Amino acid sequence: MRSTFSRILLAIFLFILASSVNAQKKMAYKGFPSLVWPKLYNITFVKTQDRLGEVDKPVFTDAVKALNGKQITLPGYMVPFENGMKGNHFMLSSLPLNACFFCGVGGPETVVEVFSTKPIAYTEKPIEIQGKLMLNDRNPDQMIYIVENAEVLGEAGL
C-alpha cells in the first residue's frame, strides 16, 4: 500500500515538474535576440528651445548613428496609431502594451514609429518588422526613431 502511495506521489510530482518545464518553453523567444533595441535604449536628452518652448532633444550615440538609414529588424508589440485596427502607420513597442511608453512605464526610446509598405491588421501578439531606421532629433511631432518602408516578417514568439 505504501509503495502504491509513493508511486502516485512520484507521478504527481513528475507531472507538475513536466508541466512547469513546458510552460517555460512556451515563453522562450524563438527568433534571434534583438541586438538593435539595446542600442536604441542608450540615449540621452538635452534641454533646448524650439518654436513651442523648451523641449528635450535626443542625443544619439555613435552606435545608433551608425544604424541611421540602414535596414533593421525589430521584434515588438503593435500600438495602433491611426485607423484603429488596421493601417500602415503604427508604433512598435519593445514592451508589452500595458508597460509601453504611452502607459507611462517605458521612455520614448522603447518605441519606434512605423510606416509599413502595406496596411497591417492590429494584433496583441508580438511581431517582427524589418525596415529602414531613420533618426529624428528635429520634429517633436514624431517619435525619435522612425522605421520606414517596413514589412512585417511574422510573429516574434516573445
Side-chain angles (χ1 to χ4, degrees):
M1 186 93 156
R2 184 170 187 200
S3 157
T4 304
F5 181 70
S6 296
R7 286 183 185 167
I8 291 172
L9 281 178
L10 180 61
I12 291 172
F13 173 75
L14 291 175
F15 175 76
I16 291 171
L17 181 64
S19 297
S20 69
V21 169
N22 281 339
Q24 289 176 351
K25 285 182 185 176
K26 289 178 186 174
M27 302 275 294
Y29 177 54
K30 295 176 186 138
F32 294 107
S34 175
L35 301 177
V36 177
W37 278 122
K39 291 177 184 174
L40 300 182
Y41 294 157
N42 191 14
I43 190 168
T44 57
F45 295 88
V46 293
K47 297 277 186 205
T48 187
Q49 295 286 325
D50 76 356
R51 67 191 191 313
L52 300 174
E54 188 175 85
V55 294
D56 289 327
K57 181 178 179 177
V59 178
F60 302 111
T61 64
D62 289 340
V64 172
K65 288 178 186 174
L67 295 173
N68 191 34
K70 301 273 190 328
Q71 217 39 30
I72 62 164
T73 301
L74 282 176
Y77 298 86
M78 285 183 80
V79 180
F81 190 65
E82 291 178 355
N83 304 327
M85 298 308 281
K86 188 172 187 177
N88 65 345
H89 186 202
F90 59 93
M91 301 295 169
L92 187 77
S93 173
S94 64
L95 304 170
L97 199 54
N98 64 347
C100 79
F101 169 61
F102 302 100
C103 297
V105 177
E109 68 279 1
T110 64
V111 294
V112 296
E113 186 171 358
V114 179
F115 293 93
S116 62
T117 55
K118 297 182 231 173
I120 308 297
Y122 171 74
T123 178
E124 292 179 353
K125 296 178 181 177
I127 60 170
E128 193 167 46
I129 65 161
Q130 186 173 57
K132 184 167 80 170
L133 178 68
M134 303 304 291
L135 306 181
N136 174 32
D137 64 355
R138 298 181 191 264
N139 184 352
D141 295 329
Q142 286 191 290
M143 300 307 293
I144 58 176
Y145 300 123
I146 301 166
V147 178
E148 297 177 340
N149 300 316
E151 295 182 16
V152 174
L153 302 178
E155 288 185 19
L158 292 173

